[in-house]
Amino acid sequence: MSTNSYVVGQVRPSQLLWAYGPGSIVDLPNLSVVTMGLNKWDPNRCPPVEEARLLAEVKRVLGPQVQRLRIPPFLKEDRPDPFSAEGRVGVPVSPFPRWLRCIKCGLLAEYDSGLFDIKSFPYRPERTHFLHTNCDKGKHADAVPARFLLACRTGHLDDFPWNWFIHGGTDCKGTFRFFERGASLQTENLWVKCDTCGNARSLVHAFGKDAADNLPGCRGRHPHLDSYEDCTQEPRTILLGATNSWFPVTLSVLAIPLEKNQLSQLVLDGWEHFADVEDEVELKGIVKTLVRTSALPGIDKWDIPSIWQAIQHRSSGKAIEVVSEGDIKGPEWEVLTSQNPPSDWPHFMSTGVAAPTGYEREVKRVLLLERLREVNALVGYTRVEAPEETSDPDERPPMADLTRGTTEWVPANEVHGEGIFIEFNESVIQSWENDAHVAERDKTLFAGHQGWRNARHLKPDAGFPPSRYTMLHTIAHLLIRELALECGYNAASIRERVYASSDPQAPMAGILLYTAAADSDGTLGGLIDLGKPEFLGRLLDQALERASICSSDPLCAEHDPSKDRSLHAAACHSCTFVSETSCERGNRYLDRALVIATLKDSEASLFREHGA
């Protein structure tokens, strides 16, 4: 990460998608910066990643001008010379907030006011910081960022209006001092005073009900784009480093074969390299380069004439049997449940095994995925409010842009891992769904769903998943907790994908539990070994036994979501919740009473025959 003149720190490429993307604040040890928009990045430093389905989904969200998914820039050398071209690889950032505070005299001013200087450390960029050179209380005193900002739900972010807050719109141009009263650092003990007029105010007035009377309207500022726009939202004060200052909006897919033919899939994956090939002689050189650099695994199995024929077919649009590009989970379900799922593709290797011992009635099939790839793309972000789980764009917080104008690419990353796919017996699931006790449990959760959405001024009846989703989601959580105890991975590194649809034309009932890491740590084999029938049956036994009694019972088992407007029934941190990085719905829509008999309800569970 670098400003125009200095390298100021390092973050991992994956963090530029999930924590420090364009528009976010990176709180470094000695200063804070905002990651600039994609229009300031150098796309030539960002390697492309191919995933046709994800690119199609990104185009649907952002527009047809998006042509590439690119990995954020990263250093290829361990400790490059900071003055070399390699040493300056990174993403552009700018100091933010602009206001700094001297730690000795309390002076509060903008970093470019001439009162502060920057001290860089080319070989230790994390030590770069600002100095108050002419401080009255000590020479070269350190200056740190002022930790108060303004943000609004439409994605705008601005410096705290110190002059307005203290002077209330008067013409005083005095300098400010930040000081503390009292022993604690509670907000009412933090004060700012003007050196010229003597006005002083406590920052407690910048929060809560007082904030509306003491803060100006939102200026519509996007510091990462150097732009302003009209905004009617009321801003609120947030602290530097607050988790609600930046929420990523991402899309993710599992890399599955889109083509019926393996060579056609390879040509599709590497179309960027093949699109402009004019003859077999040129193709031969390109294939040699791809094999040497391992840029397209598997292409070395095919001869040049066959590859050339596949390229010509794709160029003409002939003989290309594409499964789908527009949907996310539908094509994945088709591949995972096909009679002969791929077993030797470069990014998708699977082996079918029998249902777990003792669960042949409920489970139809288990697929062990020895190798899989997940590709994620960042399409925008929100502030103050996280993106809601709804398909209606009118109900989501407005998504802010990553770039000024339009962009032809978005940041993406790919991770590799292993997984266990469990397909449930559709006839058993349908019979269970039609049970009156299940409908009653579902009605209770629906009441909580309506209350939760009403409190957020959303359509109360929209977005409620079918009862099979809640049941499958709960099973996924129970198995994640159980797998983490035995497979060697921690629970936060195991993720879920729930396939649940009650559509009679295309029903789905299955779960995929998988690991995904940026290196080989996600493919150590510890997970898929536990998917074998003898092991998975024992793990299901243990998971159901633990779920039948929670350490928070009877409170957990008797929890009524309609009373507290929550999105879970018999579920809590003691029995069902998992890490936010593992769950696709933020620990919502969970109810272990739909899985196993509890103290409160013994009639609505799918696995009631397996109860004690």
Side-chain angles (χ1 to χ4, degrees):
M1 307 186 68
S2 64
T3 62
N4 291 334
S5 303
Y6 308 100
V7 176
V8 296
Q10 291 184 346
V11 297
R12 294 188 300 275
S14 60
Q15 289 180 296
L16 292 170
L17 256 74
W18 305 107
Y20 301 133
S24 67
I25 302 296
V26 186
D27 198 8
L28 298 168
N30 298 300
L31 75 161
S32 67
V33 295
V34 61
T35 306
M36 302 303 288
L38 297 181
N39 53 297
K40 298 289 184 70
W41 293 29
D42 182 3
N44 296 322
R45 294 283 191 177
C46 302
V49 56
E50 298 294 334
E51 180 48 54
R53 284 198 308 129
L54 182 58
L55 181 58
E57 189 68 11
V58 171
K59 287 182 177 181
R60 187 186 66 80
V61 175
L62 297 181
Q65 78 282 352
V66 181
Q67 300 297 320
R68 290 285 185 274
L69 307 173
R70 294 186 179 274
I71 299 174
F74 58 90
L75 293 175
K76 298 180 181 179
E77 300 178 19
D78 213 7
R79 289 183 176 271
D81 183 349
F83 300 103
S84 66
E86 173 67 15
R88 300 190 64 80
V89 170
V91 297
V93 296
S94 178
F96 194 86
R98 297 174 58 87
W99 288 78
L100 303 174
R101 173 180 64 88
C102 176
I103 63 173
K104 291 188 176 180
C105 69
L107 176 70
L108 193 65
E110 293 180 285
Y111 79 87
D112 55 356
S113 61
L115 300 173
F116 302 102
D117 296 315
I118 190 169
K119 176 68 173 177
S120 67
F121 292 83
Y123 293 95
R124 297 289 300 276
E126 71 280 358
R127 296 178 61 183
T128 301
H129 62 282
F130 284 96
L131 297 173
H132 183 200
T133 309
N134 298 317
C135 178
D136 297 334
K137 295 187 177 182
K139 188 176 181 181
H140 300 303
D142 290 343
V144 297
R147 306 196 69 83
F148 295 87
L149 302 167
L150 285 189
C152 79
R153 71 182 301 272
T154 54
H156 299 129
L157 185 69
D158 208 347
D159 286 292
F160 188 82
W162 298 104
N163 190 66
W164 179 286
F165 182 70
I166 297 170
H167 292 137
T170 63
D171 296 331
C172 180
K173 303 297 183 182
T175 56
F176 304 136
R177 302 283 171 176
F178 189 95
F179 63 97
E180 302 163 6
R181 286 181 178 172
S184 71
L185 293 179
Q186 294 180 337
T187 312
E188 58 266 23
N189 294 331
L190 304 179
W191 289 72
V192 178
K193 180 179 180 181
C194 176
D195 288 338
T196 302
C197 66
N199 282 354
R201 298 200 70 178
S202 168
L203 284 163
V204 71
H205 300 294
F207 295 89
K209 296 180 180 179
D210 291 342
D213 300 325
N214 298 308
L215 297 176
C218 180
R219 298 195 299 172
R221 184 182 183 186
H222 287 301
H224 67 299
L225 304 179
D226 294 324
S227 67
Y228 294 82
E229 60 188 19
D230 294 334
C231 181
T232 58
Q233 292 290 323
E234 183 177 313
R236 65 179 70 183
T237 304
I238 64 172
L239 296 178
L240 185 64
T243 56
N244 65 344
S245 65
W246 194 83
F247 294 106
V249 179
T250 60
L251 299 172
S252 67
V253 300
L254 294 180
I256 61 172
L258 294 179
E259 301 278 350
K260 303 297 185 182
N261 177 275
Q262 186 174 8
L263 178 56
S264 297
Q265 178 67 40
L266 287 170
V267 171
L268 175 62
D269 291 342
W271 188 244
E272 179 185 14
H273 306 287
F274 300 133
D276 300 324
V277 176
E278 296 181 354
D279 52 43
E280 293 188 33
V281 176
E282 183 181 358
L283 175 61
K284 186 175 182 180
I286 292 175
V287 171
K288 282 185 177 180
T289 302
L290 293 175
V291 173
R292 188 181 305 117
T293 59
S294 300
L296 193 61
I299 196 66
D300 56 321
K301 298 179 181 178
W302 303 89
D303 57 34
I304 297 301
S306 299
I307 299 174
W308 175 242
Q309 184 179 11
I311 292 173
Q312 289 181 313
H313 283 178
R314 176 159 178 79
S315 298
S316 62
K318 299 177 183 177
I320 301 177
E321 300 178 84
V322 177
V323 176
S324 174
E325 287 189 358
D327 191 20
I328 293 292
K329 287 187 176 179
E332 295 175 7
W333 173 259
E334 292 179 11
V335 171
L336 292 169
T337 59
S338 63
Q339 290 185 355
N340 297 301
S343 59
D344 60 348
W345 295 73
H347 297 304
F348 192 97
M349 296 178 61
S350 64
T351 301
V353 296
T357 305
Y359 294 86
E360 292 83 0
R361 184 183 75 91
E362 297 87 359
V363 177
K364 180 179 180 181
R365 188 179 63 162
V366 175
L367 194 66
L368 305 182
L369 303 177
E370 292 96 343
R371 182 183 300 169
L372 58 83
R373 181 182 71 147
E374 182 186 45
V375 187
N376 308 281
L378 177 68
V379 297
Y381 68 89
T382 65
R383 298 199 199 276
V384 179
E385 297 179 12
E388 299 295 347
E389 302 288 347
T390 176
S391 58
D392 188 351
D394 295 332
E395 296 184 352
R396 299 173 183 165
M399 185 176 73
D401 296 330
L402 301 175
T403 185
R404 195 167 187 170
T406 59
T407 181
E408 295 183 352
W409 64 280
V410 295
N413 78 330
E414 58 178 348
V415 289
H416 301 269
E418 58 177 336
I420 303 172
F421 172 71
I422 304 174
E423 180 185 359
F424 288 81
N425 192 321
E426 180 62 30
S427 61
V428 173
I429 298 299
Q430 288 184 6
S431 176
W432 169 82
E433 279 183 311
N434 294 329
D435 190 284
H437 296 93
V438 174
E440 189 64 28
R441 294 291 303 186
D442 199 48
K443 183 179 178 181
T444 303
L445 188 58
F446 181 60
H449 170 87
Q450 289 179 310
W452 186 89
R453 294 180 67 84
N454 279 326
R456 289 157 177 80
H457 308 290
L458 304 174
K459 296 177 183 177
D461 298 341
F464 185 67
S467 55
R468 70 168 64 192
Y469 180 90
T470 304
M471 182 270 296
L472 292 170
H473 192 201
T474 307
I475 293 176
H477 279 221
L478 297 177
L479 277 176
I480 286 174
R481 294 166 67 99
E482 204 63 39
L483 287 168
L485 297 176
E486 302 216 18
C487 70
Y489 299 112
N490 62 68
S493 66
I494 305 175
R495 303 181 189 176
E496 67 178 6
R497 286 178 88 83
V498 180
Y499 301 88
S501 173
S502 298
D503 183 357
Q505 302 299 322
M508 294 191 294
I511 57 175
L512 172 62
L513 307 178
Y514 66 101
T515 63
D519 53 24
S520 60
D521 288 347
T523 57
L524 298 177
L527 187 64
I528 58 172
D529 277 349
L530 296 179
K532 296 175 181 178
E534 62 273 20
F535 295 127
L536 188 56
R538 175 175 58 83
L539 289 175
L540 278 168
D541 287 340
Q542 294 173 189
L544 296 178
E545 183 180 358
R546 294 182 200 274
S548 62
I549 298 292
C550 172
S551 60
S552 295
D553 279 343
L555 295 178
C556 177
E558 296 175 351
H559 176 246
D560 187 347
S562 63
K563 294 182 179 179
D564 61 356
R565 299 186 297 190
S566 60
L567 295 177
H568 62 86
C572 69
H573 286 283
S574 299
C575 60
T576 313
F577 289 179
V578 296
S579 168
E580 294 288 340
T581 59
S582 300
C583 180
E584 66 178 18
R585 296 295 288 266
N587 283 321
R588 299 166 179 167
Y589 305 108
L590 297 165
D591 184 6
R592 58 190 172 91
L594 296 179
V595 178
I596 193 68
T598 64
L599 295 178
K600 175 68 174 179
D601 192 333
S602 60
E603 301 295 332
S605 60
L606 175 68
F607 297 98
R608 62 174 68 100
E609 296 180 3
H610 298 269

